[in-house]
Amino acid sequence: MRSRSLAAGFALGVALACNVARASLPVATAVVDAGMLSRLAADADPHVLELALASMRCAQAAGAGADANRLAVIDYSRSSLQPRLWIFDLEQRRLLYNELVAHGQGSGDDIPTRFSNDDGSHASSLGLFLTRDTYRGHNGLSLRMQGLEPGFNDAAMSRAIVMHGAAYVNADRGRQLGRLGRSWGCPALRSAVAAPVIDVLKGGQFVFSYYPDQDWLTRSALLHCPAARLARQVRRADEGPA
Protein backbone atom coordinates (compact mmCIF):
# COMPACT_ATOMS: atom_id res chain seq x y z
CA MET A 1 0.00 0.00 0.00
CA ARG A 2 2.89 2.36 0.71
CA SER A 3 4.06 2.23 -2.91
CA ARG A 4 0.54 3.15 -4.04
CA SER A 5 0.38 6.12 -1.68
CA LEU A 6 3.76 7.29 -2.96
CA ALA A 7 2.48 7.04 -6.52
CA ALA A 8 -0.67 8.94 -5.61
CA GLY A 9 1.40 11.73 -4.09
CA PHE A 10 3.60 11.73 -7.16
CA ALA A 11 0.51 12.01 -9.38
CA LEU A 12 -0.50 15.12 -7.46
CA GLY A 13 2.96 16.52 -8.17
CA VAL A 14 2.47 15.80 -11.86
CA ALA A 15 -0.79 17.71 -11.81
CA LEU A 16 0.97 20.70 -10.24
CA ALA A 17 3.98 20.66 -12.57
CA CYS A 18 2.79 23.35 -14.97
CA ASN A 19 4.67 25.66 -17.34
CA VAL A 20 7.84 23.56 -17.25
CA ALA A 21 10.66 24.84 -19.42
CA ARG A 22 13.25 22.58 -21.02
CA ALA A 23 15.95 24.50 -19.17
CA SER A 24 14.53 23.33 -15.85
CA LEU A 25 15.19 19.67 -16.68
CA PRO A 26 18.41 17.85 -15.71
CA VAL A 27 21.21 18.54 -18.19
CA ALA A 28 21.55 14.86 -19.09
CA THR A 29 17.97 14.71 -20.35
CA ALA A 30 17.38 18.30 -21.48
CA VAL A 31 19.80 17.93 -24.39
CA VAL A 32 18.23 14.67 -25.63
CA ASP A 33 15.31 14.55 -28.05
CA ALA A 34 13.37 11.68 -29.61
CA GLY A 35 15.11 12.19 -32.93
CA MET A 36 18.45 11.52 -31.28
CA LEU A 37 17.12 8.34 -29.70
CA SER A 38 15.78 7.24 -33.09
CA ARG A 39 19.17 7.71 -34.66
CA LEU A 40 20.72 5.57 -31.93
CA ALA A 41 18.04 2.88 -32.26
CA ALA A 42 16.95 2.90 -35.89
CA ASP A 43 14.84 -0.24 -35.49
CA ALA A 44 12.75 1.23 -32.64
CA ASP A 45 9.40 2.91 -33.28
CA PRO A 46 10.03 6.69 -33.16
CA HIS A 47 6.57 7.30 -31.68
CA VAL A 48 7.30 4.94 -28.78
CA LEU A 49 10.61 6.69 -28.12
CA GLU A 50 8.84 10.04 -28.18
CA LEU A 51 6.29 8.88 -25.61
CA ALA A 52 9.03 7.42 -23.39
CA LEU A 53 11.03 10.63 -23.40
CA ALA A 54 7.97 12.80 -22.83
CA SER A 55 6.83 10.62 -19.93
CA MET A 56 10.29 10.72 -18.37
CA ARG A 57 10.46 14.51 -18.62
CA CYS A 58 7.06 14.81 -16.99
CA ALA A 59 8.23 12.63 -14.10
CA GLN A 60 11.38 14.70 -13.66
CA ALA A 61 9.38 17.92 -13.74
CA ALA A 62 7.36 16.51 -10.84
CA GLY A 63 10.54 15.64 -8.92
CA ALA A 64 11.10 11.96 -9.69
CA GLY A 65 14.40 10.62 -11.04
CA ALA A 66 16.14 13.98 -11.03
CA ASP A 67 19.57 12.32 -11.28
CA ALA A 68 18.57 9.73 -13.88
CA ASN A 69 20.74 9.51 -16.95
CA ARG A 70 19.53 6.19 -18.37
CA LEU A 71 16.24 5.27 -19.98
CA ALA A 72 15.05 1.76 -20.84
CA VAL A 73 12.22 1.40 -23.36
CA ILE A 74 10.18 -1.80 -23.82
CA ASP A 75 7.85 -2.07 -26.81
CA TYR A 76 5.41 -4.85 -26.00
CA SER A 77 3.63 -4.39 -29.33
CA ARG A 78 6.45 -6.45 -30.86
CA SER A 79 6.96 -10.18 -30.93
CA SER A 80 8.72 -11.62 -27.91
CA LEU A 81 11.19 -13.21 -30.34
CA GLN A 82 12.43 -9.76 -31.39
CA PRO A 83 14.79 -7.63 -29.30
CA ARG A 84 12.26 -5.11 -27.94
CA LEU A 85 14.18 -3.58 -25.05
CA TRP A 86 16.45 -0.60 -25.71
CA ILE A 87 18.59 0.99 -23.01
CA PHE A 88 19.99 4.46 -23.60
CA ASP A 89 22.73 6.36 -21.81
CA LEU A 90 21.28 9.86 -22.14
CA GLU A 91 24.36 11.63 -20.85
CA GLN A 92 26.76 9.89 -23.24
CA ARG A 93 24.13 9.71 -26.00
CA ARG A 94 24.72 6.01 -26.54
CA LEU A 95 22.61 2.91 -27.02
CA LEU A 96 23.86 0.48 -24.39
CA TYR A 97 21.68 -2.56 -25.04
CA ASN A 98 19.05 -3.88 -27.43
CA GLU A 99 17.75 -7.09 -25.91
CA LEU A 100 15.03 -9.70 -25.72
CA VAL A 101 12.62 -9.26 -22.83
CA ALA A 102 9.83 -11.56 -21.67
CA HIS A 103 6.34 -10.51 -20.61
CA GLY A 104 3.91 -11.99 -18.12
CA GLN A 105 1.89 -15.17 -18.62
CA GLY A 106 -1.31 -13.23 -18.03
CA SER A 107 -0.55 -10.84 -20.87
CA GLY A 108 -0.77 -13.33 -23.73
CA ASP A 109 1.39 -15.45 -25.98
CA ASP A 110 3.99 -14.12 -28.42
CA ILE A 111 2.66 -10.56 -28.59
CA PRO A 112 0.96 -9.55 -25.34
CA THR A 113 -2.46 -7.94 -25.50
CA ARG A 114 -3.57 -7.82 -21.85
CA PHE A 115 -1.99 -5.71 -19.13
CA SER A 116 -2.83 -5.39 -15.49
CA ASN A 117 -1.90 -3.71 -12.22
CA ASP A 118 -3.59 -6.45 -10.18
CA ASP A 119 -1.83 -8.86 -7.88
CA GLY A 120 -2.21 -12.44 -9.06
CA SER A 121 -2.87 -11.46 -12.67
CA HIS A 122 0.63 -12.57 -13.76
CA ALA A 123 0.36 -9.82 -16.37
CA SER A 124 2.82 -7.11 -17.32
CA SER A 125 2.06 -3.47 -16.52
CA LEU A 126 2.36 -0.42 -18.74
CA GLY A 127 3.84 3.01 -18.16
CA LEU A 128 6.84 4.58 -16.50
CA PHE A 129 8.79 2.97 -13.67
CA LEU A 130 11.62 4.28 -11.51
CA THR A 131 14.23 1.69 -10.61
CA ARG A 132 15.17 1.10 -7.00
CA ASP A 133 17.59 -1.25 -5.24
CA THR A 134 18.73 -4.75 -6.12
CA TYR A 135 18.54 -8.02 -4.21
CA ARG A 136 19.23 -11.69 -4.77
CA GLY A 137 16.20 -13.96 -4.88
CA HIS A 138 15.23 -17.24 -6.50
CA ASN A 139 15.80 -15.62 -9.91
CA GLY A 140 19.25 -14.38 -8.92
CA LEU A 141 20.11 -10.71 -9.10
CA SER A 142 16.87 -8.73 -9.34
CA LEU A 143 16.01 -5.05 -9.66
CA ARG A 144 13.01 -3.53 -7.89
CA MET A 145 10.85 -1.18 -9.94
CA GLN A 146 8.48 1.46 -8.56
CA GLY A 147 5.50 2.17 -10.79
CA LEU A 148 4.78 5.88 -11.18
CA GLU A 149 1.32 5.63 -12.75
CA PRO A 150 -1.64 5.18 -10.37
CA GLY A 151 -4.04 2.54 -11.62
CA PHE A 152 -1.64 1.23 -14.24
CA ASN A 153 1.59 0.17 -12.53
CA ASP A 154 1.67 1.59 -8.99
CA ALA A 155 1.24 -1.90 -7.49
CA ALA A 156 4.57 -3.03 -8.97
CA MET A 157 6.42 -3.02 -5.64
CA SER A 158 3.73 -4.95 -3.77
CA ARG A 159 3.41 -7.37 -6.71
CA ALA A 160 7.20 -7.89 -6.72
CA ILE A 161 7.45 -6.84 -10.36
CA VAL A 162 11.21 -6.79 -10.83
CA MET A 163 13.75 -7.08 -13.63
CA HIS A 164 15.66 -10.36 -13.48
CA GLY A 165 17.33 -12.99 -15.60
CA ALA A 166 15.63 -16.24 -16.61
CA ALA A 167 16.64 -19.36 -18.52
CA TYR A 168 13.35 -19.26 -20.46
CA VAL A 169 14.44 -16.06 -22.20
CA ASN A 170 16.14 -18.09 -24.90
CA ALA A 171 15.83 -17.26 -28.60
CA ASP A 172 16.49 -20.80 -29.90
CA ARG A 173 13.94 -22.40 -27.60
CA GLY A 174 11.56 -19.56 -28.27
CA ARG A 175 11.60 -20.16 -32.02
CA GLN A 176 10.61 -23.77 -31.36
CA LEU A 177 7.72 -22.66 -29.12
CA GLY A 178 6.68 -19.71 -31.25
CA ARG A 179 7.33 -17.34 -28.34
CA LEU A 180 9.70 -16.75 -25.45
CA GLY A 181 8.97 -18.25 -22.09
CA ARG A 182 6.93 -15.96 -19.87
CA SER A 183 7.21 -14.53 -16.38
CA TRP A 184 4.64 -13.74 -13.69
CA GLY A 185 4.58 -10.13 -14.88
CA CYS A 186 8.27 -9.24 -14.64
CA PRO A 187 10.39 -7.97 -17.54
CA ALA A 188 12.73 -10.97 -17.61
CA LEU A 189 16.04 -10.94 -19.49
CA ARG A 190 18.54 -13.44 -20.85
CA SER A 191 20.55 -14.80 -17.95
CA ALA A 192 23.81 -13.86 -19.67
CA VAL A 193 22.99 -10.14 -19.76
CA ALA A 194 20.82 -9.72 -16.67
CA ALA A 195 23.61 -8.65 -14.31
CA PRO A 196 25.19 -5.97 -16.55
CA VAL A 197 21.78 -4.62 -17.60
CA ILE A 198 20.61 -4.40 -14.00
CA ASP A 199 23.88 -2.72 -13.05
CA VAL A 200 23.34 0.17 -15.50
CA LEU A 201 19.67 0.56 -14.57
CA LYS A 202 19.72 0.31 -10.78
CA GLY A 203 19.25 3.18 -8.38
CA GLY A 204 16.86 5.73 -9.83
CA GLN A 205 16.81 5.21 -13.60
CA PHE A 206 13.72 4.99 -15.81
CA VAL A 207 11.99 2.05 -17.48
CA PHE A 208 9.12 2.75 -19.89
CA SER A 209 6.79 -0.07 -20.99
CA TYR A 210 4.62 0.53 -24.05
CA TYR A 211 1.66 -1.05 -25.79
CA PRO A 212 -1.03 0.84 -27.77
CA ASP A 213 -3.59 0.34 -25.02
CA GLN A 214 -6.15 3.11 -25.48
CA ASP A 215 -7.16 3.30 -21.83
CA TRP A 216 -3.58 3.89 -20.72
CA LEU A 217 -2.78 6.22 -23.63
CA THR A 218 -5.85 8.30 -22.83
CA ARG A 219 -5.65 8.40 -19.04
CA SER A 220 -1.92 8.36 -18.24
CA ALA A 221 -1.09 11.53 -16.33
CA LEU A 222 2.54 11.27 -17.37
CA LEU A 223 1.70 11.28 -21.06
CA HIS A 224 -0.47 14.38 -20.81
CA CYS A 225 1.21 16.72 -18.35
CA PRO A 226 2.59 20.09 -19.54
CA ALA A 227 6.18 18.80 -19.56
CA ALA A 228 5.19 15.88 -21.77
CA ARG A 229 3.40 18.18 -24.21
CA LEU A 230 6.41 20.47 -24.23
CA ALA A 231 8.74 17.57 -25.00
CA ARG A 232 6.66 16.65 -28.04
CA GLN A 233 6.50 20.26 -29.19
CA VAL A 234 10.28 20.62 -28.85
CA ARG A 235 10.83 17.47 -30.88
CA ARG A 236 8.58 18.69 -33.69
CA ALA A 237 10.14 22.14 -33.67
CA ASP A 238 13.63 20.67 -33.82
CA GLU A 239 12.64 18.46 -36.76
CA GLY A 240 11.28 21.44 -38.70
CA PRO A 241 8.53 21.36 -41.34
CA ALA A 242 7.86 18.06 -43.06
Side-chain angles (χ1 to χ4, degrees):
M1 293 300 294
R2 182 171 180 271
S3 64
R4 289 198 176 194
S5 64
L6 287 173
F10 171 74
L12 177 62
V14 169
L16 297 174
C18 298
N19 303 318
V20 180
R22 176 160 59 166
S24 69
L25 295 167
V27 172
T29 60
V31 298
V32 175
D33 59 33
M36 180 184 298
L37 298 186
S38 292
R39 289 189 290 274
L40 294 173
D43 58 335
D45 184 334
H47 177 62
V48 175
L49 298 179
E50 177 184 344
L51 292 178
L53 193 60
S55 184
M56 180 196 71
R57 283 182 166 160
C58 182
Q60 290 185 318
D67 297 325
N69 55 24
R70 295 191 175 100
L71 171 65
V73 179
I74 301 172
D75 185 352
Y76 282 129
S77 70
R78 298 190 173 202
S79 164
S80 64
L81 299 175
Q82 293 180 283
R84 54 183 181 175
L85 164 68
W86 295 264
I87 301 176
F88 300 94
D89 184 321
L90 303 176
E91 192 169 33
Q92 299 297 321
R93 306 186 194 186
R94 295 171 51 213
L95 176 65
L96 300 178
Y97 292 96
N98 181 203
E99 277 291 330
L100 296 170
V101 60
H103 56 262
Q105 295 173 1
S107 286
D109 292 323
D110 179 39
I111 300 177
T113 57
R114 300 181 298 277
F115 300 88
S116 178
N117 193 38
D118 295 336
D119 193 20
S121 67
H122 292 178
S124 298
S125 298
L126 298 176
L128 190 68
F129 301 81
L130 189 66
T131 66
R132 293 303 187 183
D133 60 324
T134 63
Y135 68 96
R136 288 196 174 272
H138 68 275
N139 288 310
L141 183 66
S142 302
L143 174 63
R144 291 188 175 92
M145 297 164 52
Q146 178 189 353
L148 298 179
E149 304 209 34
F152 293 105
N153 65 18
D154 60 319
M157 294 283 277
S158 61
R159 291 179 64 202
I161 300 301
V162 300
M163 186 173 285
H164 63 77
Y168 55 74
V169 185
N170 181 293
D172 292 334
R173 185 178 176 188
R175 281 188 285 270
Q176 295 173 3
L177 292 173
R179 59 164 173 77
L180 285 185
R182 295 166 300 172
S183 68
W184 281 13
C186 298
L189 309 170
R190 291 189 301 123
S191 298
V193 301
V197 166
I198 288 172
D199 189 55
V200 301
L201 284 179
K202 66 185 179 184
Q205 309 300 324
F206 287 108
V207 177
F208 180 79
S209 296
Y210 170 84
Y211 182 82
D213 177 88
Q214 289 306 306
D215 185 42
W216 168 64
L217 289 171
T218 301
R219 297 198 298 118
S220 168
L222 289 177
L223 292 178
H224 296 285
C225 81
R229 292 196 296 270
L230 177 65
R232 291 193 288 271
Q233 291 167 3
V234 166
R235 191 270 300 176
R236 288 159 188 155
D238 288 346
E239 287 181 350

